[in-house]
């Protein structure tokens, strides 16, 4: 006999994640963005100069899927590539002015969905939930929480789009 409670924390977290991701994916379509593209935008806004592979690791998305998302964003003028200052094999990504505007619109959608899905909790409950989830993610995928300028990439050039 087992003392395991069903549903488990993992199952509940997965169900919640699926609900949020599904809602976000549907609503981002109206902004002509996929969830992978939104991840690329928000990580590049937070940390200019990341590579596509960096963003894939932070997002938990395959490098191939992220590469396709990034290429689409570049094609639409929302991101641009710059050569890495020390690695001839890497390219650094930067958000264009249009990309910042698209990211802000998507952030508004994401914020509304978060508010709707957590509205049954008090503000104290929401802070506790956020703190606990943050600790879990910090332990399991700390790169996904990384932000700030990286010292190993050059400063972005002026937007030439």
């Amino acid at each position: 006999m087992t003392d395991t409670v069903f549903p488990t924390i993992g199952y509940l977290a997965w169900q919640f994640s699926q609900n949020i991701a599904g809602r976000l994916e549907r609503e981002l379509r109206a902004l002509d963005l996929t969830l992978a593209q939104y991840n690329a935008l928000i990580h590049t806004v937070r940390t200019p100069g990341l590579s596509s592979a960096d963003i894939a690791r932070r997002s938990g998305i395959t490098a191939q899927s992220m590469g396709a998302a990034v290429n689409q964003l570049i094609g639409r003028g929302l991101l641009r590539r710059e050569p890495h200052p020390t690695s001839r094999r890497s390219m650094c990504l930067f958000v264009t002015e249009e990309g910042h505007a698209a990211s802000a619109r998507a952030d508004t959608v994401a914020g509304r969905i978060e508010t709707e899905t957590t509205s049954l909790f008090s503000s104290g409950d929401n802070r506790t939930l956020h703190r606990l989830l943050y600790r879990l993610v910090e332990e399991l995928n700390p790169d996904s929480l990384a932000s700030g300028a990286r010292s190993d990439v050059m400063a972005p050039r002026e937007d030439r789009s």
Side-chain angles (χ1 to χ4, degrees):
M1 189 153 125
T2 179
D3 290 334
T4 303
V5 176
F6 184 82
T8 63
I9 292 170
Y11 178 81
L12 294 171
W14 180 78
Q15 285 292 329
F16 180 72
S17 172
Q18 292 297 304
N19 184 281
I20 293 286
R23 284 178 169 201
L24 193 51
E25 186 78 48
R26 282 187 300 278
E27 296 211 26
L28 287 174
R29 267 189 228 128
L31 302 176
D32 198 24
L33 290 173
T34 66
L35 198 48
Q37 291 169 342
Y38 177 55
N39 270 285
L41 280 174
I42 61 174
H43 282 290
T44 308
V45 164
R46 289 174 64 200
T47 311
L50 291 175
S51 70
S52 181
D54 292 331
I55 298 168
R57 278 188 293 280
R58 289 179 179 205
S59 303
I61 298 172
T62 67
Q64 294 80 7
S65 294
M66 185 52 67
V70 164
N71 285 336
Q72 291 166 346
L73 292 170
I74 289 170
R76 292 174 50 201
L78 302 179
L79 291 180
R80 72 176 191 286
R81 284 190 178 104
E82 299 275 342
H84 191 281
T86 60
S87 171
R88 294 191 303 196
R89 294 179 49 176
S90 284
M91 296 295 283
C92 301
L93 296 169
F94 297 96
V95 181
T96 66
E97 189 175 318
E98 294 86 359
H100 280 287
S103 177
R105 287 189 299 273
D107 285 344
T108 299
V109 168
R112 181 177 44 73
I113 290 170
E114 180 176 318
T115 298
E116 290 170 1
T117 57
T118 60
S119 64
L120 66 123
F121 295 131
S122 69
S123 60
D125 287 343
N126 276 324
R127 283 191 301 275
T128 299
L129 179 61
H130 183 273
R131 184 176 41 81
L132 293 171
L133 289 171
Y134 191 97
R135 284 177 50 199
L136 286 169
V137 172
E138 187 176 44
E139 177 66 28
L140 299 171
N141 186 10
D143 285 344
S144 68
L145 302 171
S147 66
R150 290 179 34 183
S151 60
D152 66 329
V153 295
M154 64 184 171
R157 296 181 197 161
E158 280 194 48
D159 189 357
R160 289 178 276 245
S161 39

